[in-house]
Amino acid sequence: AQSVAQPEDQVNVAEGNPLTVKCTYSVSGNPYLFWYVQYPNRGLQFLLKYITGDNLVKGSYGFEAEFNKSQTSFHLKKPSALVSDSALYFCAVRDPRNSGNTPLVFGKGTRLSVIA
Amino acid sequence: KAGVTQTPRYLIKTRGQQVTLSCSPISGHRSVSWYQQTPGQGLQFLFEYFSETQRNKGNFPGRFSGRQFSNSRSEMNVSTLELGDSALYLCASSLGLTDTYEQYFGPGTRLTVT
């Protein structure tokens, strides 16, 4: 069965410093991977996705993520954090080989706090 | 283009009642998914519909049901409400199957069961 883990409930970073939000997954084959962000009292917003191709994926608001098959990871990164990046971040995975029977699975979420 | 809309935004119900939540996807989107979000359990998948057909269903009791109409609008119903059903219910639409297409989320319906 597919699963995704976000090992950190909370990540704190100073404004201007690089940030990393970690995500690891478990899928039998090659996964489809997504990152979403949720601001307070809002629904989730799509940031980026990896379907195939280049392992480094660039997304919205200066975020990027690197697909690492050997480490089964898809960490979200940004070179310079902004206070406005403070939000709840979700990683999600889908197994394309079994997509008709299994839905998109979300991680528990990581709360990012950027301190001025 | 208008985003995903959900009605109502807030709802207070009594245990044992039933509730119907509505979701209007982005125009042209054919896939609608529903999720339950709680502080303790995170984001739990409820249903996924594509072209009026339920494609996937999460591990929720039969009290939770849903449907999708020909115009892609979707509803979910929860019967015999329990206190534990209090949550933010999120609807998301996508252009195609959620395998590769990103989802666009509505603001959610905050359900409180007393």
Side-chain angles (χ1 to χ4, degrees), chain A residues 36 38 49 94 99 104, chain B residues 37 56 98-100 102-103:
Chain A
Y36 288 84
Q38 185 177 32
K49 65 182 177 183
R94 190 153 198 170
S99 59
L104 189 64
Chain B
Q37 186 177 21
N56 278 302
T98 56
D99 304 44
T100 58
E102 59 269 26
Q103 295 181 75

Side-chain angles (χ1 to χ4, degrees), chain A residues 28-92:
Chain A
S28 302
N30 293 319
Y32 294 153
L33 293 157
F34 302 80
W35 274 103
Y36 288 84
V37 60
Q38 185 177 32
Y39 297 101
N41 301 315
R42 304 276 296 276
L44 278 68
Q45 295 179 31
F46 170 75
L47 278 178
L48 51 79
K49 65 182 177 183
Y50 171 82
I51 303 302
T52 187
D54 194 350
N55 288 345
L56 183 63
V57 179
K58 293 189 183 296
S60 307
Y61 313 121
F63 284 94
E64 60 186 29
E66 185 166 11
F67 171 60
N68 188 317
K69 188 173 182 178
S70 62
Q71 297 186 5
T72 63
S73 68
F74 189 57
H75 300 331
L76 181 70
K77 299 183 179 184
K78 187 174 182 180
S80 179
L82 300 172
V83 172
S84 57
D85 292 330
S86 299
L88 187 58
Y89 290 80
F90 291 93
C91 181

Side-chain angles (χ1 to χ4, degrees), chain B residues 43-62:
Chain B
L43 213 60
Q44 301 285 307
F45 169 77
L46 281 157
F47 322 99
E48 178 186 2
Y49 291 91
F50 183 77
S51 294
E52 300 180 69
T53 300
Q54 187 179 88
R55 187 166 180 245
N56 278 302
K57 187 178 190 301
N59 293 324
F60 279 81

Side-chain angles (χ1 to χ4, degrees), chain B residues 26 34-35 38 61 72 90 96 103 110:
Chain B
I26 291 173
W34 287 89
Y35 298 88
T38 59
S72 293
L90 294 167
Q103 295 181 75
R110 173 76 61 186

Side-chain angles (χ1 to χ4, degrees), chain B residues 5-27:
Chain B
T5 58
Q6 292 187 244
T7 56
R9 290 292 311 278
Y10 301 92
L11 207 48
I12 300 175
K13 289 286 189 179
T14 303
R15 192 170 51 182
Q17 289 184 314
Q18 76 164 16
V19 66
T20 299
L21 311 182
S22 181
C23 171
S24 293
I26 291 173
S27 177

